[in-house]
Amino acid sequence: MPKTGKVYIETFGCAMNHKDSENMLRELQEENFSQTSSPEDADLLLINTCSVREKPVHKLFSELGHLNRIRKESSKIGVTGCTASHLGDEILKKAPYVNFVLGARNTSKIREVLYRDGAVEIDITHDDSLHSFGETPISKFQKSINISIGCDKKCTFCIVPQTRGTEISIPLDLILSEVRKGVEAGAKEFLLLGQNVNSYGRRFSLKHQKIDFTKLLREISKVDGLERIRFQSPHPLHMDNRFIEEFATNSKIAKSIHMPLQSGSSRILSKMKRGYTKEWFLDRAERVRKAVPNVAISTDVIVGFPDENEEDFRDTMEVLEAVRFEQMFSFKYSPRPLTEAENFPNQIADEVAGKRLQTLQKRHLEILNSLAEDRVGKEYSVLFTDFEEGCLLGRTSEGYLVKSLGTEESVGKIKNIKTTSSFRTYMKATIL
Ligand code: SF4
């Protein structure tokens, strides 16, 4: 394969996967690869897979078949990410035209496997944490930074510990130097990424001073020129009072928080091995809202987990009513290979789970409509990041998308705005 060419990449799944894709693209730039959106023109085609969503294996092989039909004869195909970790050389057996397989914990080896046909690198104990992360901004003004890799939790529905391995935190110095580099390049907002960000500091690959997530936030917020910090995803179990106080009082921390509920039933939460109860979750959410009245809380919910009965589902509905999430990602449970829950008895019929999901989403839409109405006439601060057809686009600290008339000069700046009209997915506003 020539040491130059075009790379086409398809990314499925979470923000971590997108970050891995960015990191691989950056590595490939070192090999003189440039990105193309056309698979027919590519010299290298990558599918960065996810195992969390519906039918990941089926999706992978159907996409591989499609790419194989349309690609250039001389091109190579690589499969990376979580499904690569769990299927390994099965992929080469089923699709012998694939040139290499690279697990989610091994993406730093992309340049190495590029020239090794048949390579399968899926070691989930591989320490990718010191892989130096380069300039891969979300936009000129926003940058994401990995603060940890892997996950030590054992949620029974989740495949991540099997594909991304145990948790390793990135050293503080490396994170701070990435933030400073980002600020120098013009970034104002930083998104800290990890499967479980707020257990930061649990384990480092080398000897490291003791530091937890709250202290990390404090240290990052001291960097001159940084204006906003976001993070994804925290675990409700680790939201202690110290963290909530820092979240509320540190003006650099954006006032939106993801609190993945998964289920409102303590009985189901225990079967999921989430480590908290309905009461704990409600208490944390209430504390967060009390400390930051305008906070936007988002969540993930799974309905129809094995053995979930109507009473359990009512608990989930009760939490929805109590917290009134500003955003909710909700799914029907479906068993994932290599997870504990795959073999749980009392799997719920698809029809029953489907009905529950409908009920949940219908009520959530009503809540979203009423929350949107409440935002009219309110003031927010917005980081404008784009300008399209005379319209400025940006997000408030709470994460709401804002469209406002204005001039391109406001791009890259934080401005105060007043909402003139508000919908479920965005707001219109005037700059104050
Ligand atoms: S916290 Fe649970 S759901 Fe999240 S990545 Fe870890 S095991 Fe998966």
Side-chain angles (χ1 to χ4, degrees), residues 151 153-155 157-161 195-196 235 262 274:
C151 180
K153 294 269 186 276
K154 302 261 179 299
C155 302
F157 55 82
C158 182
I159 195 175
V160 165
Q195 290 313 141
N196 188 359
H235 194 295
Q262 310 302 2
R274 290 289 291 168

Side-chain angles (χ1 to χ4, degrees), residues 299-303 328-332 357 360-361 364:
T299 197
D300 301 322
V301 177
I302 297 171
V303 296
M328 181 177 77
F329 303 92
S330 51
F331 309 94
K332 264 189 303 187
L357 186 63
L360 180 81
Q361 291 180 337
H364 187 238

